[in-house]
Amino acid sequence: MLSTDSSGSRFTPLVVVELASDTKEEAIAWLLSRIRDTQQNGGAELLVEQLGPGVVAEEKENPNMFLVGASWQRLLSGAEDVGLFKECSDGSMRGFTCVNKHSFKDFKGDGDDFLSMAECQYIIKHELDTLRAKDETHVPGYSQAKLYPGKSIIRRLLSKGILIQVFPLHDKEELKRLSFSWYEKVKLSLQPLDDIRHYYGEGQALYFGFLEYFTFALVPMALIGLPYYLFDWEDYDKYVVFAVFNLIWCTVILELWKRCSASLAYNWGTLSRKKAFEEPRPGFHGVLGFNPVTGREEPLYPNAKRLLRIYLVSLPFVLVCLYVSLYVMMIYFQMEGWALNVHDEDPTFWTGILCFIPSIIYAVVIEVMNLIYRYAAELLTEWENHRLESSYQNHLVLKVLVFNFINCFASLFYIAFVMQDMVLLRQSLATLLITSQILNQFMEAFLPYWLQRRRNKKMMRKVQKKRTMQGVELPLEEQVRLEADMSTYLGTFDDYLELFLLFGYVTLFSCVYPLAALLVVLNNITEVYSDAFKMCRVFKRPFSDPAANIGVWQLAFEAMSVIAVVTNCALIGMSPHVKAYFPDSETQLILWTVAIEHGLLAFKFILTFLIPDVPKHIQIKLARLEFESLEAFKKKRQLHGGKCWKPWSSARASSEEERRSCTH
Amino acid sequence: MLSTDSSGSRFTPLVVVELASDTKEEAIAWLLSRIRDTQQNGGAELLVEQLGPGVVAEEKENPNMFLVGASWQRLLSGAEDVGLFKECSDGSMRGFTCVNKHSFKDFKGDGDDFLSMAECQYIIKHELDTLRAKDETHVPGYSQAKLYPGKSIIRRLLSKGILIQVFPLHDKEELKRLSFSWYEKVKLSLQPLDDIRHYYGEGQALYFGFLEYFTFALVPMALIGLPYYLFDWEDYDKYVVFAVFNLIWCTVILELWKRCSASLAYNWGTLSRKKAFEEPRPGFHGVLGFNPVTGREEPLYPNAKRLLRIYLVSLPFVLVCLYVSLYVMMIYFQMEGWALNVHDEDPTFWTGILCFIPSIIYAVVIEVMNLIYRYAAELLTEWENHRLESSYQNHLVLKVLVFNFINCFASLFYIAFVMQDMVLLRQSLATLLITSQILNQFMEAFLPYWLQRRRNKKMMRKVQKKRTMQGVELPLEEQVRLEADMSTYLGTFDDYLELFLLFGYVTLFSCVYPLAALLVVLNNITEVYSDAFKMCRVFKRPFSDPAANIGVWQLAFEAMSVIAVVTNCALIGMSPHVKAYFPDSETQLILWTVAIEHGLLAFKFILTFLIPDVPKHIQIKLARLEFESLEAFKKKRQLHGGKCWKPWSSARASSEEERRSCTH
């Protein structure tokens, strides 16, 4: 781990705080003193140091970069504050407390290797975020940056533009080890999920876990689909078998993923970690009041007002956007029809090129629409003023999801059910799938990497110009400045969205194009590598995110698998081979199709209901924890007696006492 | 409240324990001493007295009837054991603890009016059930009735036939008040749900709450359905409007009921009461081992074995029964067709009667099949060996539900979709609905009441023969013996099943017979009275059941409303008036019908998803409780320190200490 040589004491820089380069001295001094101050005085009790000028000190370099760290004792008491779950010596997962620290499995000596670097960084971020204003009325030197008692200082500084960013540092050594075992060696083993979690936190690890699970789950479908392609089977009996297998398989893998994710989350200690007392998100505003759950002072915003905004503004807006998207698609089909006509009438080289023009225009328009829509969706969701980050994310995901779904699949639906042209459907599906895969991996990993590499080399060259060669390692100052310039990883949203769309390509029209599963499997294998590469080399290290599941995406994938039942049944019903079984009556055919579809849907729901979401052995462990907590609650009420509800303030006071007993 | 005059001390008999009349003296003495023994010695610390011989001592009278009661202090510490939730002075619901007793709202003086009689009886039942064997190897005097340390004595005595029954006593005074306010006065007010809960417990009160809610929820449907009947509207546009309204309304009322039931359960303190540590049910058997959650010794049975039994035996059995039921129905339709033919060919008086014979035979056969199936289902579910009573109930309900659904509605489905005879459908629906309503109310309330009344009068006459008239009240001894002979109320199962079938009649074919809602509303109004009457006058008082919701019935009603969407859409699609809109193509008609049906189903699911299950203000209160419990857990771990998981035994020991400090 990195360690400054300048100070004598052992200080491991974990997080970088970058202030605007023109920040007033008094504001800096005030912020640093608040961060350093003891918790008794309402400070964060962390260690801070200014980052020295680099070897290649330039004019435009920002001098206001600070390295934040903490003593091990402080980190341990912080781990208790954030409610970290760690493994006990008896194998169960329990909330960490300082007093019982020795009963945890990996706690040795002073516990200076107990917490992973990602956990330490998460704790420091939490402590910085919960650093609250005391009696200051405004940020020193900035009379317009008002402060209110109990409100987060860091969030106010961020929204006023005084604080540019807070980000965790990479650990070069560990990163090298991780990237070697993850993507650099050619291997047949699984991804090192525990190491990924150790370095990037649970949210990232769950994404990679899901990616891996999804890939393996598609292998049976790919294997079964392969002969259909190789032998060019056009026997629709077989297609029906394939489609039915597909539908049941989708349900089963989604249900099993829930169990799998519960196991992972339990072992990582995020499953039973309570998220109910999430702090309000930075952008949340409202009248100051008391949170009815915790008794803390924070802005409140009436739920009814938010619902009005959602149903009267956001919902109509999304519907209009969907309508526009469908309208653009219709224009595309008309243009293409017109271009084909022109080409058929007068087949020259130029009309041949003309045939491609509608597709190109459509592709560009779709991209532009996606961008504009994404921007609008973020604005709207921001305006809806959600209290919690999770609820903000859910609403954003839902908006973007629906639009992307329509944008990607509307043309396929049109070809399948309006034009009823199965050959064109197969062609379009293959084209869309393959181009989107190639484009995605190029745009999301290799292009940014190439840009980053250039910057990196430039910096290296500069450093080598000044100093004589001292190993290949960059000095800390340069390293920090380099990382500060790296692009910021915006979360797993886009990665999941990509998987979601791929899942759609596989399931929605599986009976028309059985090869899709194989293509997606191949794509996912390279996707693992490109995503891993991207995380390790292209982006700033993200703060870890203690996720217990893949959240709203589980629902999205399940909804997709329900839609897939409907589309596949319709496609099979429409196929000429099936129609041949009902030569006399189309009505009979449709009724049978509908009946089978209803049967499949019912079977799907029953299956979802029958497979428990959490494996038995974890259910037992969770129940045991709850049992203990109940017994403890009884106990506590007996010890403290008298009063029925202890208001938050006194609870806080006493928990601060405990923390102190543990820090000193 | 009743009070024995025989003993000098204040002793309120709450529960009656009836042993077999030939029970050996030593077994009785042993049982009584165990019940009376202090908790320190592993006893129940309750008060017991033998019931004296009645005024009309007869030969055949059972002398081994015992009245059980307890001191108020014992009941309060019992309330803590069962985890009773009561209202605090600050309006929130909290688990009762002796130490904090004065912070609860209605706690005055010694707290001798704090617990309702139903709560006291529930506590005594719990204490009797958890009276465990110590070092006895068998019941004294019965060497074949083995006992194992830690196993429930009462349950062993019950299964060996030594203990006949344990039942709570009625409170004549309170019952008189309750029945007056509930059903005896003609009134426009709502049912006294809080009083019902006070007297019968939460399970009963929730049933009556649901019955009332369901009745009110059907009123709009009844009002809208009325003009269809009055003006004989045959305009199918209007029917479509009615059906769509019906379907959305069903979804909305079921969702709102969840909120309503959560409010009731919160106010009654059962919503947050944990049910995880339910004791295994009496019939449960298995190898003795340690419960992984609580650490207590109890029989264990592998889940895999149970699943095998369910899927390989129970499921095929149910399917075969359903097949038989459908087969019988087909025979009925054939017989009826044959009888009608005979009548048409030769219409005499005797052939006229012949026409009724198939219906009568079918009705009888259905009743017989229901009885046999019910018996078989109970046997099978018992054999599945469920650990918890709740899981046993769920499996039993599911089995009986499916069979009853098919038995009731299969013939209607046949008429609707195979015969496509809407006039016959309407007739059959009306006949089935009205006859089942009348029969039900007669069979379930008035017939048992009449039998009970006869027995009651006989007893009165005998008493009056011996003694001179001393008021109309019976002496305690006679009262207890009279109640012991009353029929046992077997739970809300049949009552919910009746409502479920009525709900089916209203929703499944609503667009054919809009009057059904009105009929059901009228039925429910009388149902309230007959059920109330039945509870107060016909049955033994049941032990209260701390239910938080209507359980598996919620799911059953929701499933019914999904099926209703399918049937109504199909019925509308089949109607000649709608067919007239698509004169050219039946295919077009079916596709439209299916599309609308899918749209409605999707809308239904979205609606279910959008309406939160628990009202906001209760969510906040629950979150606050959880927040406190978390804080307390942290605290406790800090106080007890050191060990990571405190095994159950020591937790038990310390909680017994506390109890003692509270009893004495």
Side-chain angles (χ1 to χ4, degrees), chain A residues 80 88 100 274 277 292 587 590 597-598 624 626-628 630 632 635-638 641-642 644-645 658, chain B residues 80 88 100 274 277 292 587 590 597-598 626-628 630 632 635-638 641-642 644-645 658:
Chain A
E80 192 176 333
C88 269
N100 301 333
K274 298 286 190 288
F277 317 116
T587 315
I590 298 179
E597 184 230 345
H598 278 73
R624 192 160 64 196
E626 202 183 340
F627 178 72
E628 277 176 56
L630 267 175
K635 192 108 193 160
K636 180 220 169 192
R637 291 177 50 73
Q638 282 167 346
C644 221
W645 185 49
E658 289 142 22
Chain B
E80 191 174 336
C88 271
N100 300 334
K274 298 286 190 286
F277 316 118
T587 316
I590 297 178
E597 185 229 348
H598 279 73
E626 202 183 342
F627 178 72
E628 276 176 56
L630 266 174
K635 192 107 196 162
K636 180 221 170 189
R637 292 177 50 73
Q638 283 168 347
C644 219
W645 184 51
E658 289 144 21

Side-chain angles (χ1 to χ4, degrees), chain B residues 246-298:
Chain B
N246 245 9
L247 299 174
I248 294 172
W249 187 239
C250 284
T251 313
V252 171
I253 61 172
L254 287 177
E255 283 305 303
L256 291 184
W257 165 250
K258 274 194 228 161
R259 295 167 66 90
C260 190
S261 122
S263 290
L264 287 176
Y266 178 79
N267 288 328
W268 294 340
T270 49
L271 189 64
S272 26
R273 194 159 158 185
K274 298 286 190 286
K275 298 201 84 181
F277 316 118
E278 225 178 308
E279 292 281 317
R281 55 190 298 270
F284 179 65
H285 55 85
V287 186
L288 218 62
F290 289 94
N291 180 321
V293 174
T294 59
R296 295 176 202 176
E297 202 177 29
E298 64 174 43

Side-chain angles (χ1 to χ4, degrees), chain B residues 428-439:
Chain B
S428 310
L429 193 60
T431 318
L432 269 174
L433 186 56
I434 294 170
T435 51
S436 79
Q437 284 175 7
I438 293 174
L439 265 180

Side-chain angles (χ1 to χ4, degrees), chain A residues 225-448:
Chain A
L226 193 58
Y228 285 84
Y229 179 75
L230 291 181
F231 308 129
D232 216 4
W233 284 345
E234 282 293 334
D235 185 345
Y236 266 79
D237 283 357
K238 297 207 183 70
Y239 273 77
V240 171
V241 172
F242 182 69
V244 170
F245 168 76
N246 244 10
L247 298 175
I248 294 173
W249 188 240
C250 284
T251 313
V252 171
I253 61 172
L254 287 177
E255 281 305 302
L256 291 184
W257 165 249
K258 272 192 228 162
R259 294 167 67 89
C260 191
S261 122
S263 291
L264 288 176
Y266 179 80
N267 288 328
W268 294 340
T270 49
L271 190 62
S272 26
R273 194 160 158 185
K274 298 286 190 288
K275 299 200 84 181
F277 317 116
E278 227 178 307
E279 293 280 316
R281 55 188 299 270
F284 179 65
H285 56 85
V287 186
L288 217 61
F290 288 93
N291 180 320
V293 174
T294 59
R296 295 176 203 177
E297 201 177 30
E298 64 173 46
L300 300 178
Y301 186 77
N303 203 30
K305 244 171 147 177
R306 183 178 306 126
L307 287 180
L308 278 183
R309 288 184 173 186
I310 292 175
Y311 290 117
L312 295 186
V313 180
S314 297
L315 186 66
F317 172 78
V318 172
L319 292 179
V320 167
C321 286
L322 294 183
Y323 180 78
V324 169
S325 162
L326 292 178
Y327 198 80
V328 167
M329 184 197 74
M330 294 309 299
I331 292 173
Y332 156 67
F333 277 112
Q334 274 175 13
M335 272 169 62
E336 193 166 75
W338 170 78
L340 278 176
N341 261 349
V342 170
H343 182 64
D344 281 351
E345 278 170 19
D346 177 22
T348 69
F349 172 71
W350 292 108
T351 56
I353 287 182
L354 188 69
C355 284
F356 286 101
I357 290 182
S359 299
I360 295 170
I361 294 179
Y362 186 51
V364 170
V365 169
I366 277 193
E367 277 305 309
V368 172
M369 285 202 304
N370 265 344
L371 280 177
I372 296 176
Y373 181 80
R374 179 75 169 265
Y375 183 73
E378 275 170 16
L379 271 187
L380 262 182
T381 319
E382 184 73 50
W383 178 70
E384 286 167 12
N385 198 15
H386 294 275
R387 186 178 161 265
L388 300 181
E389 184 64 30
S390 56
S391 135
Y392 170 85
Q393 285 296 339
N394 284 350
H395 278 84
L396 182 61
V397 166
L398 194 68
K399 284 194 191 74
V400 175
L401 210 68
V402 170
F403 191 74
N404 270 276
F405 179 85
I406 294 289
N407 254 355
C408 265
F409 297 116
S411 61
L412 295 178
F413 273 93
Y414 187 80
I415 295 171
F417 299 114
V418 181
M419 294 164 71
Q420 305 207 355
D421 184 341
M422 292 305 132
V423 180
L424 183 59
L425 178 61
R426 197 175 299 180
Q427 267 176 22
S428 309
L429 193 59
T431 319
L432 268 174
L433 186 56
I434 295 170
T435 51
S436 80
Q437 284 175 8
I438 294 175
L439 264 179
N440 254 325
Q441 300 209 356
F442 179 74
M443 291 290 285
E444 92 185 6
F446 296 102
L447 190 66

Side-chain angles (χ1 to χ4, degrees), chain B residues 268-491:
Chain B
W268 294 340
T270 49
L271 189 64
S272 26
R273 194 159 158 185
K274 298 286 190 286
K275 298 201 84 181
F277 316 118
E278 225 178 308
E279 292 281 317
R281 55 190 298 270
F284 179 65
H285 55 85
V287 186
L288 218 62
F290 289 94
N291 180 321
V293 174
T294 59
R296 295 176 202 176
E297 202 177 29
E298 64 174 43
L300 299 177
Y301 187 77
N303 204 31
K305 247 171 145 176
R306 184 178 305 126
L307 287 180
L308 278 183
R309 289 183 171 187
I310 292 175
Y311 289 117
L312 295 186
V313 180
S314 297
L315 185 65
F317 172 79
V318 171
L319 292 179
V320 166
C321 286
L322 294 182
Y323 179 77
V324 169
S325 161
L326 291 178
Y327 197 82
V328 167
M329 184 196 75
M330 293 309 298
I331 293 174
Y332 156 66
F333 277 112
Q334 274 174 13
M335 272 169 63
E336 193 165 75
W338 170 78
L340 277 177
N341 261 349
V342 170
H343 183 63
D344 282 351
E345 278 170 18
D346 176 22
T348 68
F349 173 72
W350 292 108
T351 56
I353 287 182
L354 187 71
C355 284
F356 286 102
I357 289 181
S359 299
I360 294 170
I361 295 178
Y362 184 53
V364 171
V365 169
I366 277 194
E367 276 305 307
V368 172
M369 286 201 304
N370 265 344
L371 279 177
I372 298 176
Y373 179 83
R374 179 75 169 265
Y375 183 72
E378 275 170 16
L379 271 187
L380 263 180
T381 317
E382 184 72 50
W383 178 71
E384 286 168 12
N385 198 14
H386 294 275
R387 187 177 161 265
L388 300 181
E389 184 63 30
S390 57
S391 136
Y392 169 86
Q393 286 296 339
N394 285 350
H395 279 84
L396 182 61
V397 166
L398 195 67
K399 284 194 190 73
V400 175
L401 209 67
V402 171
F403 191 75
N404 270 275
F405 179 84
I406 295 289
N407 254 355
C408 265
F409 297 117
S411 61
L412 295 178
F413 273 92
Y414 187 81
I415 294 171
F417 299 114
V418 181
M419 295 165 71
Q420 306 205 354
D421 184 341
M422 291 306 131
V423 178
L424 183 60
L425 177 62
R426 196 175 298 181
Q427 267 174 22
S428 310
L429 193 60
T431 318
L432 269 174
L433 186 56
I434 294 170
T435 51
S436 79
Q437 284 175 7
I438 293 174
L439 265 180
N440 255 325
Q441 300 210 356
F442 179 73
M443 292 288 287
E444 92 185 4
F446 296 102
L447 190 65
Y449 173 66
W450 182 71
L451 294 173
Q452 181 62 33
R453 204 182 159 84
R454 266 185 51 191
R455 232 178 299 157
N456 214 334
K457 277 198 174 150
K458 226 163 84 187
M459 178 75 92
M460 268 295 211
R461 229 174 292 130
K462 265 193 248 163
V463 172
Q464 285 169 355
K465 227 186 278 172
K466 291 257 172 175
R467 292 216 285 200
T468 49
M469 193 79 174
Q470 292 182 330
V472 209
E473 287 281 312
L474 277 172
L476 178 65
E477 286 76 15
E478 260 61 45
Q479 179 59 38
V480 169
R481 283 179 208 279
L482 204 61
E483 282 186 29
D485 285 340
M486 282 170 113
S487 353
T488 306
Y489 180 66
L490 294 169

Side-chain angles (χ1 to χ4, degrees), chain B residues 152-164:
Chain B
S152 165
I153 291 172
I154 293 291
R155 289 177 176 188
R156 172 51 52 128
L157 292 176
L158 259 178
S159 66
K160 286 289 169 191
I162 301 169
L163 183 64
I164 296 175

